[in-house]
Amino acid sequence: MNNKKIEKLISLIIFGIFSSATYGEGSMSVSFKNNSDGLLKCEKKDNADYVTFLRLRPDEKKEFQNFHMPVDLRCYISISSNSVTTFTYFPINKAGEYELLKEKVPCEKCKSGTDSKWATIVVYPDGKTFYSKW
């Protein structure tokens, strides 16, 4: 191998090491925090199916290093032994902590005749909130 090829190879190796050190580890860290009083369950979309990948008791937190993004999730929280919140569908496409809450939200078309329902609220790493409105 001539010197130019060796220099290019060394440059690529060094560039790869430093770029992964500054980009890889922190950018793919995702955590989930159950900030409710019920069991949180989340499912990850795998092709056309949703597969359970996370269960957290109240106040538990789970961190994933090298989380593969983007991914579509749906989560719900237990209300009682025989009921849960409606699914909240949301994408994970940024690193950081995703906090999940159980809250009463307005419901204009509830069949039960009430004006509110329990929902799973997602608080994104940037502080924005979301829940699926049915």
Side-chain angles (χ1 to χ4, degrees):
M1 232 191 241
N2 66 28
N3 285 340
K4 289 205 179 226
K5 286 184 180 178
I6 292 173
E7 287 176 14
K8 284 183 180 180
L9 181 61
I10 291 172
S11 295
L12 287 172
I13 291 170
I14 290 172
F15 178 74
I17 290 170
F18 285 112
S19 65
S20 65
T22 58
Y23 175 76
E25 185 180 301
S27 66
M28 300 303 264
S29 175
V30 174
S31 63
F32 298 90
K33 170 90 167 105
N34 180 0
N35 223 355
S36 77
D37 60 357
L39 179 66
L40 167 70
K41 292 184 183 180
C42 293
E43 299 173 346
K44 186 180 346 181
K45 190 169 187 180
D46 184 16
N47 295 320
D49 298 321
Y50 281 90
V51 179
T52 300
F53 86 101
L54 180 67
R55 288 187 177 134
L56 294 176
R57 290 187 169 87
D59 297 319
E60 281 187 332
K61 180 179 176 177
K62 173 74 176 172
E63 185 170 350
F64 295 90
Q65 296 294 326
N66 301 318
F67 193 81
H68 298 287
M69 296 183 265
V71 66
D72 291 324
L73 299 184
R74 68 180 186 186
C75 297
Y76 64 90
I77 298 173
S78 298
I79 298 169
S80 66
S81 61
N82 61 353
S83 65
V84 297
T85 63
T86 56
F87 279 112
T88 292
Y89 292 80
F90 61 102
I92 300 290
N93 52 21
K94 293 180 184 174
E97 182 173 288
Y98 292 78
E99 180 182 6
L100 292 109
L101 314 164
K102 181 179 78 175
E103 297 287 336
K104 284 264 189 178
V105 297
C107 180
E108 295 175 11
K109 298 179 182 181
C110 286
K111 293 181 180 178
S112 63
T114 62
D115 59 353
S116 63
K117 66 173 181 167
W118 287 105
T120 301
I121 309 289
V122 179
V123 181
Y124 288 95
D126 63 5
K128 292 182 182 175
T129 59
F130 173 79
Y131 68 94
S132 295
K133 297 176 177 131
W134 299 98

